[in-house]
Amino acid sequence: MNIHGKDIKIFTANSNPQVAKDIAKLLGLPVGKSTVTCFADGEISVSIEESVRGSDVFVVQSTSAPVNDHLMELLIMVDAFKRASAGRITAVIPYFGYARQDRKAKARDPISAKLCADIIAAAGADRVLTMDLHAPQIQGFFDIPVDHLLGVPILAPYYVEKFKDCSREELVVVSPDLGSVTRARKFAERMNCALAIVDKRRQRANVSEVMNIIGDVKGKKVCLVDDMVDTAGSICNAAAALVEKGGATEVYACATHGVLSGPALERIKNSVIKEMVFLDTIPLPEGAKEARISQLSIAPVFAEAIGRIYEDKPVSPLFV
C-alpha cells in the first residue's frame, strides 16, 4: 500500500474550527498546533507550531463569510506547509466560496471560481476535498485532484427517520428550481417518494418569482432540497407557493450550505417552513434556533474521506 506522508495531521484556520476538531476526534488525532491571527493593519499572520516535515497535512477551512479573509488564511497556511516540507497538502474546503461565479453571465464578467481554483493550486495544495460545489463542473477548474463529496447521503437518512411512520404516498421531495433537479431526484430515490419541481424566473440577483409547480403536492408533506441558502428569498417563496398554489400541508427544507446572508434568518422565521436543516459546513449565526434551523455534522463523512485519501483508497463508496 502506497501511503503519502509519514502520518496524518489535521490543521484549521478560523472559519470552522469545530468541524476540524470533530474530524480529528473521529480519526483519533489532535488538531495541529497553529495560530492564525491578523497584524494591526489587517494582514493575515500564520504560525505553524509543530513539525510537518513529510506529513500528510489536511487544512480544514471553509471559504465562507468573511470570504476573502478566510480564503487568504487558507492560502497562507498552505504556503506555510509547503515551505515546511509537508509530504502532501490537502485543502479541505467544506464550503467553496465564489462557486456561483462559475461562468460569464454577461459581457466582461470574471470567472472568479476558476481564479480561486488557480490560486489554491498555486499556493501549493496538492489536492482539494470539498462538498456540494454549486456547479459540479467547477471540479474541472482545478489542475489538481478534487474529491467532491455530496450532502444528500447525510441529509436523506435524517428525513427517512423523521418520516418513518408516514406513507411514502404522502411525501414529495421538491426541487426549488430546475438547477437542483438532479440533487432532488437522488434525494427522492433515497426517500422512495415522488418528485416535484418549482419553476421560477429569476429577475435579478437574490430576487426570484415563482411561476409554476410541476408535479402534484396537494395534501402532501413536502421537503425542499437545495445546495445552499443565501438570502433565503428563493426557498421561502417556493415554500409559500407550495402551500398557496400547490396545496401542500407541511413544508420542510434542507440544504448543504447555510450561507444565511442579510435577511435570511428573518425570512425563514416568518416563512411556512416548519424546519430548516443544514450541514455544518458553515457555522450558524446567532438566532438560528429561533428560526427553526438545525444542523447535521459532516465530520463522519470527511473523516472517512481523509482516511481513504491517506491510504490511497477510493472515496466513491461514500456516495452510496
Side-chain angles (χ1 to χ4, degrees):
M1 180 172 58
N2 178 26
I3 296 181
H4 296 277
K6 62 185 180 182
D7 55 5
I8 301 180
K9 293 201 173 183
I10 309 293
F11 286 85
T12 183
N14 294 322
S15 73
N16 207 341
Q18 187 57 51
V19 166
K21 292 176 183 175
D22 293 343
I23 291 171
K25 183 177 180 180
L26 288 170
L27 291 169
L29 300 168
V31 176
K33 297 177 182 177
S34 63
T35 303
V36 182
T37 57
C38 288
F39 291 109
D41 63 354
E43 292 181 1
I44 305 296
S45 170
V46 169
S47 178
I48 308 302
E49 297 160 2
E50 63 181 83
S51 174
V52 295
R53 185 175 295 272
S55 297
D56 212 343
V57 172
F58 294 83
V59 190
V60 181
Q61 175 82 336
S62 285
T63 51
S64 51
V67 180
N68 297 329
D69 288 349
H70 288 157
L71 178 59
M72 281 304 300
E73 289 178 5
L74 173 64
L75 296 174
I76 295 172
M77 286 194 82
V78 168
D79 181 74
F81 292 127
K82 180 180 69 173
R83 297 178 188 279
S85 301
R88 184 172 60 171
I89 305 166
T90 300
V92 181
I93 312 173
Y95 169 71
F96 181 68
Y98 285 104
R100 284 172 284 183
Q101 299 184 46
D102 63 324
R103 65 193 184 283
K104 292 182 70 172
K106 61 181 188 298
R108 296 173 295 280
D109 270 0
I111 303 180
S112 304
K114 168 60 175 167
L115 175 62
C116 289
D118 288 343
I119 294 171
I120 290 168
D126 297 298
R127 177 181 292 272
V128 167
L129 175 61
T130 188
M131 175 172 272
D132 271 347
L133 293 168
H134 186 64
Q137 300 91 318
I138 293 173
Q139 296 172 77
F141 290 1
F142 289 88
D143 295 325
I144 55 178
V146 176
D147 289 303
H148 185 218
L149 303 178
L150 303 176
V152 168
I154 305 174
L155 290 165
Y158 173 82
Y159 284 98
V160 169
E161 176 64 22
K162 186 179 186 69
F163 297 123
K164 63 182 179 181
D165 296 327
C166 296
S167 165
R168 298 300 100 180
E169 286 71 29
E170 59 180 307
L171 299 176
V172 179
V173 170
V174 180
S175 173
D177 53 44
L178 296 175
S180 295
V181 171
T182 300
R183 180 181 298 102
R185 183 182 295 115
K186 291 178 180 177
F187 198 99
E189 288 172 358
R190 288 175 175 268
M191 293 280 292
N192 190 28
C193 65
L195 174 68
I197 303 167
V198 176
D199 176 31
K200 69 182 183 184
R201 182 172 300 168
R202 187 177 295 277
Q203 298 175 326
R204 61 182 187 275
N206 293 326
V207 177
S208 65
E209 179 183 354
V210 174
M211 303 299 292
N212 196 16
I213 297 169
I214 304 169
D216 180 21
V217 298
K218 188 172 183 180
K220 308 287 181 69
K221 296 179 180 179
V222 303
C223 181
L224 281 159
V225 182
D226 211 346
D227 65 323
M228 69 170 67
V229 173
D230 187 356
T231 59
S234 295
I235 203 158
C236 290
N237 288 344
L242 287 166
V243 172
E244 295 167 9
K245 294 183 179 181
T249 56
E250 295 181 2
V251 180
Y252 299 84
C254 65
T256 302
H257 310 297
V259 181
L260 302 178
S261 305
L265 288 182
E266 193 64 24
R267 284 175 173 172
I268 295 170
K269 187 176 180 180
N270 295 330
S271 73
V272 298
I273 297 171
K274 295 180 71 67
E275 180 189 34
M276 177 77 77
V277 177
F278 297 113
L279 304 184
D280 59 352
T281 57
I282 302 172
L284 289 178
E286 290 186 14
K289 288 185 178 180
E290 287 77 7
R292 305 180 300 282
I293 296 173
S294 57
Q295 276 188 324
L296 304 178
S297 176
I298 59 171
V301 172
F302 273 86
E304 176 71 12
I306 287 171
R308 287 177 172 274
I309 290 168
Y310 175 66
E311 297 176 357
D312 283 335
K313 292 181 178 178
V315 176
S316 55
L318 299 179
F319 305 152
V320 177

